[in-house]
Amino acid sequence: MSEMISVLLDKKIRYAIFLLFTLDLLLLGAGKNLPALGISSRKVFFVLFAMISIVVFVAEYSNRRLTDAALFCGAAIFLLVWVVLIPALTHGNIAYAVTDSTPLAALAIFLVSTEFARYTIGWIWVRRLMITFLCAFAILHIVLYVFLLVYPQMQSVLSDLFQYVFDVGSGDDARFVFFTPSLGNGIYRIYFGSSFLLLLGLYFSVIRSTKMRLGWLRLEYVMALLILGALWATNTRSLMLGAVTFIGLYPFCLAFFKHTEQSYWSIFLLLALPIVSSFLLVPTVDPTTLQLIGLGRSVNDDVRAVQFASLFDAFKNNPLFGLGFGSNAAFIRAQDTPYAYELSIVGLLMKIGTVGLLTACAIWAGVLDTFRSPGNKRAVREVAALYALYFSFVFSCFYNPYIFGFFGTFFLLFVLYEFSYVMREAEND
């Protein structure tokens, strides 16, 4: 038995499982069900990673800081209140609540696996995989975009092929692969479910210089151009908004973190800021506004406008504690997942209320504060880029439901593990 536990605790196994989870998200946008189990492979990988992390946490509990235990208890109480207690009182479907709250589980999993990115060799492999895939994925987007501009008659053939390989269905049943001239003027939309993760490429393209060149261009500049080209090819407003947010915010973040010493309360405010700021986008929910600036898409925009009105009415009825995860407003977007909404930030506020939002930010701030090294400015570039990435993630999720799925889960885990890796590397320099 002890040998079995020793094998389970082997860090290489956890990295292998996390790599498989990452590949699943990158390659299979909507996810594929395992025939024998009837559930998606990414759920299996995530559960295995979580279980092994908990085993490691228990085995090494005596070596943990008291702060880690306090934060873990805080996260557990948060999940108990907004995943079990409030849903039991409001809608009664705990299964919906558990599914809906998956990204918040990322915070709890990180709390029991803060040592995961400490073994830098393993995390470096994760980063290399991400960089290699994102560059190749960006090239694929650009090539498909140019190809369909030249050979528009191939659109149906290519759509069917990629839907068969990467999606859960084909044609009208497909969920996460779209090759369509979405604006009606010959501009194509090359979009996979995992296209959302291209935003991570912006982070990799601005961190420490590789000093490697492709001709007269540095390698990180080439990557930035590829990522921006791919984001343009997606023809997805939320992703382009995320890119613009990252590019516009990063220089200010760099200057801010260079000259400002962080504290727990400043971290708390920084975490809450993009969520509050995202409500500046509310006027664009009105289809008329989007039509005026040339970004209107009639059917989708009308649905989002109805969603906002319904979600905000539900929030006003329960502004402090919300309706809990798994809940829905009067308007239901999809009958099979009534808790899912495209306006995910407004949906989050409706589900956890202002108290839940502030509590989540307080716990997350406590987690990040444990890695803070006062006076250490060696990792300013990475920290600034990670914050700009987080800000762009929140802005992108204002219009899309990624925050409530495994893409949001992975995004949050990546930011947390990368931050802990960057902080530890800075301390060792």
Side-chain angles (χ1 to χ4, degrees), residues 202-312:
L202 296 175
Y203 166 75
F204 286 119
S205 64
V206 300
I207 57 175
R208 293 185 189 279
S209 172
T210 60
K211 297 182 181 179
M212 296 176 63
R213 294 182 177 273
L214 191 64
W216 56 275
L217 278 175
R218 289 221 306 243
L219 197 59
E220 57 267 29
Y221 297 162
V222 175
M223 184 175 187
L225 291 173
L226 286 175
I227 295 298
L228 291 173
L231 289 170
W232 171 263
T234 66
N235 196 12
T236 302
R237 294 172 300 186
S238 60
L239 293 186
M240 287 190 274
L241 173 65
V244 170
T245 302
F246 182 93
I247 294 168
L249 194 62
Y250 172 67
F252 293 99
C253 292
L254 195 58
F256 176 79
F257 287 112
K258 272 183 180 177
H259 300 102
T260 306
E261 191 66 51
Q262 300 306 303
S263 66
Y264 169 83
W265 290 110
S266 67
I267 295 171
F268 172 81
L269 292 173
L270 286 170
L271 289 174
L273 179 62
I275 299 172
V276 175
S277 299
S278 68
F279 282 87
L280 294 172
L281 301 171
V282 167
T284 62
V285 174
D286 184 350
T288 306
T289 304
L290 292 172
Q291 292 291 343
L292 286 174
I293 59 178
L295 294 175
R297 295 175 188 172
S298 57
V299 176
N300 288 338
D301 295 338
D302 291 341
V303 171
R304 284 184 171 91
V306 174
Q307 280 183 51
F308 178 79
S310 184
L311 287 167
F312 195 67

